[in-house]
Amino acid sequence: NAGVTQTPKFRVLKTGQSMTLLCAQDMNHEYMYWYRQDPGMGLRLIHYSVGEGTTAKGEVPDGYNVSRLKKQNFLLGLESAAPSQTSVYFCASSFLLWDTQYFGPGTRLTVL
Amino acid sequence: AQSVTQPDIHITVSEGASLELRCNYSYGATPYLFWYVQSPGQGLQLLLKYFSGDTLVQGIKGFEAEFKRSQSSFNLRKPSVHWSDAAEYFCAVYSYDKVIFGPGTSLSVIP
């Protein structure tokens, strides 16, 4: 039982490049979330999903897209990376919406 | 708008000493409240949560928190800190359509 896993762990991009972060959970959770963590700002919600095939915007969705094609996976895409997107990205899942969230180990992304 | 504040950015305590981390929220109705811990290089883990009922909530690793509606606070406590408690602690509030996280308090423990 791996819980929530994230791929990759680290990535360096140049401005304008694209990439996809993968989140996978094996707990059969319906709800999944993507956050970014910046110093002194806690976690801010980017997008979330209430089930397979559904996504919704969070607090800071601009510049990101997401997809939930399978229940266990939640993908976060950056179409044209900007230095402002340098951050640590966390994926989480939960059994009930907004209840106890189980977090992955994070992806540290640097955009040059 | 709902908000969560954690007044202490960084706290240092000696091993064996007691600990209290402060959390204040701004929210109109009875909130759902959480405390999460983040060890270095790791994701967040739930310590405890409050939805209703007894205002003193027990969590994992010997932590507890008390909900005080009159003070809009949900402070986290531990009677005796261990070196392994050194981490970042986040308070969070559930509002109608999302969970809002506070900025975090970094805890250092002196042996």
Side-chain angles (χ1 to χ4, degrees):
Chain A
N1 189 340
V4 179
T5 58
Q6 293 183 234
T7 309
K9 288 184 169 51
F10 303 93
R11 186 71 185 269
V12 178
L13 290 179
K14 294 181 180 179
T15 298
Q17 288 185 317
S18 63
M19 78 162 294
T20 299
L21 281 66
L22 171 64
C23 175
Q25 53 97 2
D26 61 2
M27 296 173 282
N28 201 36
H29 286 167
E30 204 68 41
Y31 308 100
M32 297 187 74
Y33 317 82
W34 274 108
Y35 294 90
R36 59 177 291 171
Q37 182 180 33
D38 301 293
M41 301 188 72
L43 274 73
R44 291 182 292 167
L45 183 67
I46 305 171
H47 287 280
Y48 65 101
S49 169
V50 299
E52 183 177 320
T54 73
T55 63
K57 293 181 180 179
E59 183 184 0
V60 288
D62 294 341
Y64 304 96
N65 56 77
V66 287
S67 63
R68 184 105 181 263
L69 298 180
K70 293 183 179 181
K71 185 177 183 178
Q72 63 268 36
N73 295 338
F74 195 28
L75 278 62
L76 177 71
L78 286 73
E79 291 183 346
S80 180
S84 61
Q85 293 178 304
T86 293
S87 188
V88 181
Y89 291 86
F90 286 99
C91 175
S93 70
S94 67
F95 179 67
L96 297 174
L97 184 60
W98 308 121
D99 198 351
T100 303
Q101 295 183 46
Y102 296 83
F103 285 81
T107 295
R108 183 174 294 276
L109 174 66
T110 301
V111 182
L112 302 175
Chain B
Q2 295 87 6
S3 66
V4 180
T5 56
Q6 294 180 246
D8 304 304
I9 297 174
H10 185 85
I11 286 181
T12 300
V13 300
S14 298
E15 192 168 15
S18 63
L19 172 69
E20 182 169 31
L21 302 181
R22 296 182 290 165
C23 172
N24 295 97
Y25 64 89
S26 170
Y27 185 58
T30 300
Y32 292 172
L33 297 156
F34 305 83
W35 273 102
Y36 285 87
V37 61
Q38 183 182 27
S39 298
Q42 309 263 334
L44 280 70
Q45 178 186 20
L46 181 74
L47 282 175
L48 47 80
K49 63 184 179 183
Y50 171 78
F51 279 5
S52 65
D54 192 346
T55 56
L56 184 62
V57 181
Q58 301 297 321
I60 63 171
K61 305 185 180 186
F63 285 92
E64 67 177 27
E66 186 171 14
F67 169 57
K68 293 186 177 180
R69 185 190 306 274
S70 61
Q71 299 177 18
S72 297
S73 69
F74 188 54
N75 294 349
L76 182 71
R77 301 194 294 249
K78 186 169 185 178
S80 179
V81 170
H82 187 263
W83 64 266
S84 60
D85 293 325
E88 187 98 18
Y89 292 81
F90 293 93
C91 181
V93 174
Y94 163 71
S95 68
Y96 289 113
D97 58 355
K98 59 181 176 292
V99 170
I100 301 170
F101 285 83
T105 296
S106 176
L107 174 66
S108 296
V109 180
I110 300 173

